[in-house]
Amino acid sequence: MMQKNLVIVESPAKAKTIEKFLGADYKVLSSYGHIRDLKEKGMSIDVEHDFDPFYVIPPDKQEVVKSLKKAAQNVQTVWLASDEDREGEAIAWHLYTVLGLDEKNSKRIVFHEITKDAIFNAIQHPRNIDLNLVYSQQARRILDRLVGFELSPILWRKIMPSLSAGRVQSVAVRLIVEREREINNFQAEAFFRIVAAFILLDGKTVVKAELNKRFKTKEEAYAFLESLKNATFTVDEVNTRPGKKLPAPPFTTSTLQQEASRKLNFSVSQTMSVAQKLYEAGLITYMRTDSVNLSTLALNASKKEIESEFGSNYVKIRQHHTKSKGAQEAHEAIRPTYISNRNVEATPAEQKLYELIWKRTVASQMADAELERTTITIGISNNDSDKFHIHGEVIKFDGFLRVYLEDNDDENQNESVEAILPPMHINEKLNLYEAIANERLTQRPFRYTEASLVHKLEELGIGRPSTYAPTISTIQQRGYVIKGSKEGEARQLAILTLKNMQISSRSKTELVGADKNKLMPTDSGIVVNDFLTTHFQLVLEYNFTADIEKEFDKVADGEMKWTETLHKFYKIFHPIVEQVSSSRTEHKIGERLLGNDPDTGKPVSAKIGRFGPFVQIGSADDEEKPQFASLSKNQSIETITLDDALQLFKLPRTIGEWEGKTITASVGRFGPYLKYDNTFTTIPKGYDPLYITLEEACQMITEKKNRDASKVIKTFAEDATVQILNGRFGPYISYNKANFKIPKDLVAAELSYDDVMKIIKNSPEKTAKTAKAAKTNKTVKTAAKTKASAKKKKS
């Protein structure tokens, strides 16, 4: 029997969930994302004719389109049910066009949650494709292609091959580079913070108070402690006032990304991937949104859940309002589809994210937390200007805190401890137990995390919910930014202690500037950023980029033609491209002159090259060929000194002889290493190739030999390229740079050559993780079959 209806969505998981709700009259198929895009090679845009795009169906989508066309011809109505944002609208429009649909036999439906009620409500209220949303998506896609297509060749010629540039990505890199430079230029200043411990009249209770002043030098801090010896201390003021804490609004895309990073340690892309699965399983509402609104249904469900779980005094229904102008992705915040479902059956990551969304949603409709904040001021008898202060905070009614408290990015937030204070009265005399002056350093700016970068982009109005995760992934994939760690620098800090009328002094070592999992620019990122900000300053201005986003919003709202925003941009952008492309530079972009080599007098410079950053003695114009040395992993073109650079030319360094063969130390693309007997050994972290001893080198080489020996389980005389090796997950077969699993019921060491070739021959194609690996495995298996066949004929 022919089905009456075909529903097309963009993902198989979404199709599977929707199919459960619809009857036999509906068939649900997936388009697997976009079925059409700009041609991969070339600009694929006719600039002369109003930026007319040239769309093609990629090879990997040909079969999908073919099956969708066939299915569409055999039904009465095609329902285009892709997501309700601009990307989803564009997918629907491309399907409508490519499948040859018309308004009589097709309908557009949207929903922001995959529930039975939402699906049937959408079917009862279909609409036409919103061309304004389509044009807005198309304008963004074309503009980004124009920028990439015209900028990238300039980067290849002026800096080095294989570089690329993107509109929003370049602005994100700029933010990270500027922050890194702020950190490099930051000069930490020392100061002394005074904390005193006082004993109350009962002789037992001790309270800590902080002085309202900082001292710049150790001498000043010492003098102040000295003055306390002859002072008496009295409670001057006790100020108690009520306070409130309000719950955070429900999640938008960016706030979900930020909180999942802080609370769950998820990357931005991981958060979006997990949220997508929850949405497609019908567990949460649409995850690309900048709205904080909740539907009436969700508000009522929240109220019912809170009353049932915590009592009616915990309920405070409120409708949060979206601050972001041009909120355009969806019409509701991210929330569970059914508030009554506190837990879901899913993977651990999905459960964690769902719980976070559930708590945030419910907490947003709960009563404020009621607090009592107390400030106590302690006077010093011989000092009228300086005071000690104690701050305490008591929760009188926990309200929403019963469920959830939002985190923040303040790395010093644990320094101020909230405490319940003992009863204290004005004019009460206090005894000084001890006073400690701790030397501290002013805090440098913080490097961005993925989450704090999303927050900054949103604050500047750059990008939209659908672009944050791809932007952050792209700048890392292109090698412009890494998520890395810095070891920090050990600093000696002074501590002065006044106790029993005596002042003692000691010091402690503190690690300053250490960072973990923060975004840092690479040398490539710095060089490309400097080139773009110098020559394309206007295009990379934060306000300019934000204004373009606003124009895309206007296109989506029907207030501006999509071609108008492209003409405005291209009129500014293209002349700069032509000018920069034709201009000549005196020296290579990104080159930094460090000084002269004291031995030869030749210039020493740091540069970026095809294989990464390096330093050079001499120039291409010299009669002698310049000398080159790669930078080590922890060095940068931006900060390397002349002395550091000259040290690199001492490599490769001959360490000595061992068993009649020479050991040398050097630095390569992947870090420092030893070379011995045509084999290479990685130098472990903590050892410097310039100072490593012969004894240490011999030990490292011996340890590597032992590891390698235990790695090889078996080799075969029939073919030296076939080996059985030990790996992280057990024994496996290595053959012609491809790996094959050994069945669990077989003993690796007992396998014959014929057994191994049979395993390779019968290995499933899906074991290859990449297209390249699949091709390799296919070639290897063909070779294995050929060898087996040849052996059979021979016998």
Side-chain angles (χ1 to χ4, degrees):
M1 187 179 92
M2 185 180 86
Q3 283 165 309
K4 294 179 181 178
N5 301 281
L6 171 65
V7 180
I8 304 177
V9 296
E10 61 273 82
S11 83
K14 188 174 171 182
K16 192 177 176 183
T17 306
I18 290 172
E19 207 161 32
K20 290 189 294 187
F21 302 131
L22 301 173
D25 286 342
Y26 290 84
K27 184 177 184 179
V28 187
L29 294 177
S30 169
S31 70
Y32 296 88
H34 281 277
I35 59 158
R36 207 166 62 151
D37 198 3
L38 296 174
K39 206 173 180 180
E40 218 171 284
K41 291 184 178 177
M43 188 187 281
S44 207
I45 300 158
D46 189 347
V47 176
E48 301 298 322
H49 295 86
D50 260 357
F51 301 94
D52 190 29
F54 180 58
Y55 290 116
V56 294
I57 299 166
D60 62 332
K61 290 297 174 74
Q62 299 281 358
E63 283 302 314
V64 174
V65 170
K66 192 176 174 182
S67 64
L68 289 175
K69 273 185 177 178
K70 188 177 178 182
Q73 288 165 0
N74 295 321
V75 295
Q76 293 175 7
T77 307
V78 177
W79 303 82
L80 301 172
S82 48
D83 291 339
E84 61 176 332
D85 61 4
R86 296 173 195 178
E87 289 295 324
E89 206 70 20
I91 289 171
W93 178 74
H94 283 295
L95 285 165
Y96 180 89
T97 308
V98 171
L99 302 183
L101 305 176
D102 58 42
E103 289 183 11
K104 292 176 185 175
N105 67 356
S106 67
K107 297 180 190 298
R108 171 78 171 121
I109 55 170
V110 294
F111 36 83
H112 61 266
E113 60 183 56
I114 304 175
T115 59
K116 189 173 182 178
D117 288 345
I119 303 299
F120 280 102
N121 184 57
I123 288 170
Q124 286 166 17
H125 302 93
R127 62 168 173 81
N128 294 327
I129 290 172
D130 188 336
L131 287 175
N132 290 328
L133 291 180
V134 175
Y135 293 149
S136 178
Q137 186 274 345
Q138 183 168 265
R140 178 191 290 279
R141 184 74 186 92
I142 290 173
L143 194 145
D144 288 346
R145 170 60 66 89
L146 287 170
V147 171
F149 186 80
E150 297 207 355
L151 275 189
S152 297
I154 295 176
L155 297 179
W156 302 340
R157 289 197 305 274
K158 302 283 185 181
I159 304 174
M160 68 176 186
S162 303
L163 294 175
S164 58
R167 183 179 56 89
V168 176
Q169 294 95 320
S170 297
V171 175
V173 172
R174 181 184 168 188
L175 281 167
I176 293 163
V177 170
E178 287 181 348
R179 178 57 55 87
E180 195 69 22
R181 284 188 172 144
E182 283 179 48
I183 292 166
N184 289 339
N185 295 331
F186 181 78
Q187 296 293 323
E189 292 181 4
F191 66 90
F192 283 81
R193 174 174 173 249
I194 313 284
V195 176
F198 295 98
I199 301 173
L200 302 192
L201 290 177
D202 63 4
K204 298 176 184 177
T205 308
V206 176
V207 293
K208 287 188 176 181
E210 185 174 342
L211 191 72
N212 62 349
K213 182 179 180 180
R214 302 280 190 266
F215 296 100
K216 288 185 177 181
T217 66
K218 185 177 179 181
E219 290 72 25
E220 288 176 357
Y222 190 96
F224 177 79
L225 292 182
E226 190 68 41
S227 72
L228 296 183
K229 289 180 180 179
N230 303 316
T232 57
F233 306 93
T234 311
V235 175
D236 283 352
E237 194 178 338
V238 178
N239 185 358
T240 301
R241 66 189 191 283
K244 281 185 179 182
K245 274 187 181 172
L246 277 62
F251 282 129
T252 62
T253 301
S254 72
T255 54
L256 177 64
Q257 289 168 348
Q258 290 166 58
E259 275 293 82
S261 173
R262 298 177 193 127
K263 288 186 183 290
L264 307 178
N265 204 26
F266 282 8
S267 68
V268 167
S269 58
Q270 184 185 3
T271 299
M272 293 313 291
S273 174
V274 174
Q276 177 106 20
K277 286 170 186 166
L278 289 172
Y279 166 68
E280 289 174 346
L283 299 173
I284 63 168
T285 53
Y286 192 52
M287 66 286 159
R288 292 189 190 96
T289 175
D290 41 20
S291 169
V292 291
N293 298 327
L294 291 177
S295 66
T296 305
L297 193 70
L299 293 174
N300 291 335
S302 298
K303 181 182 178 183
K304 187 177 177 183
E305 186 67 20
I306 296 162
E307 283 179 338
S308 165
E309 191 76 22
F310 308 109
S312 57
N313 59 324
Y314 277 87
V315 176
K316 185 177 180 180
I317 297 300
R318 62 192 100 202
Q319 189 60 275
H320 297 272
H321 297 289
T322 304
K323 293 176 184 176
S324 158
K325 192 180 185 300
Q328 47 89 16
E329 300 297 350
H331 307 296
E332 197 173 358
I334 302 167
R335 62 164 175 82
T337 48
Y338 298 103
I339 307 289
S340 55
N341 291 345
R342 184 159 191 172
N343 300 298
V344 292
E345 288 184 20
T347 66
E350 287 164 14
Q351 286 175 353
K352 286 176 186 175
L353 194 66
Y354 180 86
E355 185 183 7
L356 192 69
I357 294 166
W358 187 92
K359 285 181 174 180
R360 176 82 164 222
T361 305
V362 170
S364 74
Q365 303 307 314
M366 292 179 72
D368 302 338
E370 294 174 12
L371 315 169
E372 185 179 84
R373 294 190 176 111
T374 302
T375 303
I376 296 171
T377 304
I378 299 169
I380 307 165
S381 61
N382 58 3
N383 186 336
D384 292 332
S385 59
D386 299 329
K387 307 283 182 185
F388 282 102
H389 292 290
I390 307 173
H391 298 282
E393 187 173 277
V394 178
I395 297 172
K396 292 294 194 180
F397 174 65
D398 55 5
F400 75 93
L401 294 176
R402 185 89 173 262
V403 171
Y404 182 86
L405 176 62
E406 184 181 34
D407 281 359
N408 63 50
D409 289 312
D410 181 3
E411 298 186 15
N412 292 322
Q413 60 182 312
N414 294 325
E415 277 202 5
S416 106
V417 180
E418 296 175 357
I420 298 173
L421 301 179
M424 296 173 74
H425 308 286
I426 293 175
N427 296 326
E428 185 177 340
K429 301 291 181 187
L430 305 175
N431 292 318
L432 180 67
Y433 173 69
E434 68 175 3
I436 299 173
N438 272 300
E439 186 181 13
R440 307 299 298 269
L441 296 171
T442 51
Q443 280 283 357
R444 59 167 175 72
F446 298 124
R447 287 185 175 92
Y448 288 109
T449 61
E450 286 191 355
S452 61
L453 182 61
V454 166
H455 178 70
K456 187 66 178 177
L457 289 169
E458 186 182 40
E459 188 182 279
L460 293 170
I462 296 166
R464 289 295 181 262
S466 60
T467 66
Y468 299 135
T471 296
I472 288 170
S473 296
T474 300
I475 60 177
Q476 291 179 70
Q477 287 162 7
R478 286 180 178 167
Y480 294 156
V481 170
I482 58 165
K483 196 193 289 184
S485 302
K486 288 276 184 183
E487 290 181 3
E489 178 190 349
R491 295 282 294 264
Q492 291 292 315
L493 301 177
I495 301 173
L496 301 173
T497 303
L498 167 63
K499 192 172 183 180
N500 299 325
M501 303 296 282
Q502 297 292 320
I503 299 176
S504 60
S505 177
R506 63 186 176 91
S507 65
K508 67 172 180 178
T509 303
E510 193 170 289
L511 203 60
V512 177
D515 260 330
K516 194 175 180 183
N517 286 332
K518 297 292 177 65
L519 297 176
M520 305 173 194
T522 62
D523 282 310
S524 299
I526 291 169
V527 170
V528 170
N529 173 74
D530 288 353
F531 176 76
L532 293 177
T533 49
T534 299
H535 298 285
F536 295 89
Q537 188 176 1
L538 178 64
V539 178
L540 265 76
E541 276 294 327
Y542 301 132
N543 289 340
F544 184 82
T545 309
D547 287 343
I548 289 171
E549 295 291 348
K550 289 174 187 171
E551 289 188 2
F552 290 152
D553 293 342
K554 286 182 179 179
V555 173
D557 293 336
E559 296 172 10
M560 189 175 186
K561 286 186 176 180
W562 69 276
T563 51
E564 186 185 337
T565 190
L566 290 174
H567 278 295
K568 276 177 67 180
F569 174 81
Y570 202 66
K571 193 176 178 181
I572 297 168
F573 176 68
H574 188 64
I576 303 173
V577 169
E578 290 186 321
Q579 181 191 338
V580 174
S581 190
S582 60
S583 65
R584 297 189 67 181
T585 49
E586 291 180 14
H587 63 278
K588 191 172 175 67
I589 303 295
E591 182 177 343
R592 180 169 161 250
L593 190 65
L594 305 177
N596 293 335
D597 176 21
D599 295 333
T600 63
K602 290 181 179 180
V604 181
S605 52
K607 305 180 181 185
I608 191 82
R610 174 172 262 175
F611 301 112
F614 66 95
V615 285
Q616 175 180 315
I617 295 178
S619 66
D621 302 331
D622 294 344
E623 287 183 20
E624 283 185 85
K625 189 180 176 184
Q627 291 177 266
F628 305 99
S630 295
L631 268 63
S632 63
K633 275 186 176 180
N634 60 345
Q635 290 176 320
S636 165
I637 291 175
E638 183 100 333
T639 55
I640 191 169
T641 64
L642 177 62
D643 289 341
D644 293 336
L646 292 172
Q647 288 290 317
L648 293 172
F649 289 100
K650 293 178 181 177
L651 299 172
R653 164 181 163 251
T654 300
I655 296 173
E657 298 277 326
W658 186 45
E659 297 179 352
K661 294 183 179 73
T662 304
I663 303 175
T664 57
S666 192
V667 174
R669 286 180 68 193
F670 305 107
Y673 65 89
L674 299 171
K675 185 180 179 184
Y676 173 74
D677 194 20
N678 285 325
T679 61
F680 300 91
T681 302
T682 300
I683 295 175
K685 194 176 180 182
Y687 290 91
D688 190 324
L690 287 166
Y691 304 106
I692 197 165
T693 65
L694 181 62
E695 186 184 348
E696 289 168 338
C698 293
Q699 186 181 342
M700 290 171 194
I701 293 165
T702 303
E703 286 172 358
K704 183 180 187 290
K705 279 183 177 178
N706 294 337
R707 283 196 305 271
D708 289 348
S710 63
K711 185 180 179 182
V712 180
I713 297 173
K714 197 170 186 179
T715 57
F716 300 92
E718 292 92 333
D719 189 341
T721 64
V722 180
Q723 292 179 307
I724 300 177
L725 304 175
N726 247 326
R728 281 178 65 197
F729 306 107
Y732 67 94
I733 297 165
S734 173
Y735 178 43
N736 278 356
K737 297 182 180 179
N739 300 331
F740 300 89
K741 285 183 181 177
I742 296 172
K744 288 183 180 179
D745 57 335
L746 298 177
V747 180
E750 296 176 2
L751 294 175
S752 67
Y753 177 74
D754 288 342
D755 294 333
V756 169
M757 298 314 284
K758 190 177 178 182
I759 291 169
I760 293 170
K761 180 183 170 184
N762 297 328
S763 172
E765 207 70 65
K766 65 181 180 182
T767 56
K769 290 187 178 178
T770 65
K772 189 176 178 183
K775 192 176 178 183
T776 305
N777 276 10
K778 193 174 180 182
T779 307
V780 167
K781 285 157 76 175
T782 305
K785 285 177 187 175
T786 307
K787 284 192 178 187
S789 174
K791 193 172 180 183
K792 201 173 182 182
K793 284 180 183 177
K794 198 174 180 182
S795 60

